[in-house]
Amino acid sequence: MTLTLKDVTKRFKKRVAVDRFSMEFQPGVYGLLGPNGAGKTTLLRCICGLYRLNGGSIQGGESPGYLPQSFGMFRELTLTQMMEYLATLKGLPKGEQEEEIRRVLDLVNLSDRAGSRVKALSGGMVRRAGIAQALLGDPEVLLFDEPTAGLDPEERVRFQNVVAARRRKGVTLISTHIVGDVEALCGTILILHQGKLAAVGTAQEIAQLAQGKVYAVPGERESELRGSFFVKNRSEENGASILRVLSPEPQPGEPLAPTMEDGYLCAIKGL
């Protein structure tokens, strides 16, 4: 199956949140990277049909599994009751729900909390329950909005394994600002900036956007920086301050090999 977006546009009054976004998604795992306000959540909601488009079209991806950025559940229900409610909304036959709920709770390591009330679950458990409900029915399209927010390192690895296991089953689109999650999971990375698709490629291809633009600059030479540049971070080596600087122009310091995060920053900052 494919999910095809052509010139998808969404406006809120005069603000354009998604601006003529086009992409054909084949089966695989895609990362949607961008700063806050870039339009990532709006794009996912458009794909889900939660927003009416102001332009363009979306083909494929009917009834996707969706984890919203803020996921909540009825606090007085048990986790199993909540999953039964959501499974019914998704149209899963009653006779298949018990086995399917057991399957998805096991995937997110919540089988032992199936009888617990939602209000007794920690924030991380609620997030994992949100991942589980998106997986109900094994949909062809999965949309995750900041799925690892609030998860500890072990559960982040578990999520990565769940996504990797269905890499060829359908389209999985993960919206996040955590570069490490995208590098670990996604074969194709899309960078969204101010509602527009700024770049697309593999992790290596995104890193190449910063080729020849990364410098280690001694702190005492910071005043010598010229032209367009961005100081990504500051660190200390042997008691001396070192700046990691991104710039399309030569800078005082040693050239460095670019990382995917360097390429991402160059794309959104126009370097």
Side-chain angles (χ1 to χ4, degrees), residues 6-241:
K6 184 176 181 180
D7 295 329
V8 169
T9 300
K10 178 60 186 175
R11 293 190 298 271
F12 296 99
K13 295 184 178 179
K14 293 183 178 181
R15 184 176 70 88
V16 180
V18 177
D19 190 0
R20 292 170 294 176
F21 182 98
S22 296
M23 184 72 186
E24 182 174 291
F25 296 92
Q26 301 288 341
V29 183
Y30 297 79
L32 184 60
L33 269 179
N36 292 334
K40 303 188 300 297
T41 293
T42 299
L43 180 62
L44 294 190
R45 290 177 177 176
C46 287
I47 297 172
C48 287
L50 297 176
Y51 287 153
R52 181 176 295 176
L53 302 182
N54 296 113
S57 63
I58 298 175
Q59 295 181 331
E62 292 77 10
S63 302
Y66 175 48
L67 171 68
Q69 193 170 32
S70 297
F71 175 74
M73 300 186 290
F74 296 119
R75 291 172 54 79
E76 295 301 322
L77 296 181
T78 67
L79 181 54
T80 293
Q81 289 169 337
M82 189 68 210
M83 289 293 161
E84 289 172 345
Y85 172 71
L86 293 170
T88 299
L89 289 180
K90 290 188 174 193
L92 268 68
K94 195 72 174 176
E96 299 176 11
Q97 290 184 11
E98 182 178 353
E99 181 178 351
E100 180 64 1
I101 290 169
R102 187 183 304 115
R103 180 185 75 86
V104 297
L105 291 182
D106 183 60
L107 285 173
V108 299
N109 196 30
L110 282 177
S111 297
D112 60 336
R113 302 306 297 266
S116 299
R117 293 191 185 278
V118 170
K119 65 182 180 182
L121 302 179
S122 68
M125 290 177 181
V126 170
R127 199 68 186 156
R128 284 149 56 195
I131 294 169
Q133 62 80 30
L135 295 168
L136 281 169
D138 201 18
E140 290 187 330
V141 173
L142 277 173
L143 307 171
F144 292 112
D145 199 349
E146 302 289 353
T148 60
L151 298 188
D152 62 35
E154 181 181 356
E155 294 303 333
R156 285 180 65 185
V157 171
R158 187 183 300 275
F159 171 75
Q160 292 171 5
N161 290 337
V162 168
V163 171
R166 56 159 285 136
R167 191 178 302 275
R168 300 184 184 279
K169 287 186 177 181
V171 174
T172 301
L173 180 56
I174 302 170
S175 169
T176 183
H177 62 273
I178 302 175
V179 174
D181 284 350
V182 171
E183 282 188 293
L185 282 170
C186 304
T188 303
I189 298 155
L190 298 83
I191 298 178
L192 197 63
H193 183 51
Q194 296 180 345
K196 295 183 178 182
L197 186 59
V200 59
T202 64
Q204 185 176 6
E205 288 168 342
I206 297 299
Q208 287 302 303
L209 296 176
Q211 184 63 45
K213 301 177 182 179
V214 189
Y215 300 88
V217 178
E220 66 268 18
R221 302 190 67 182
E222 183 173 3
S223 62
E224 299 177 36
L225 295 172
R226 294 290 184 270
S228 300
F229 65 87
F230 174 72
V231 179
K232 179 183 173 185
N233 58 42
R234 300 169 187 265
S235 60
E236 283 199 10
E237 294 182 13
N238 301 319
S241 176

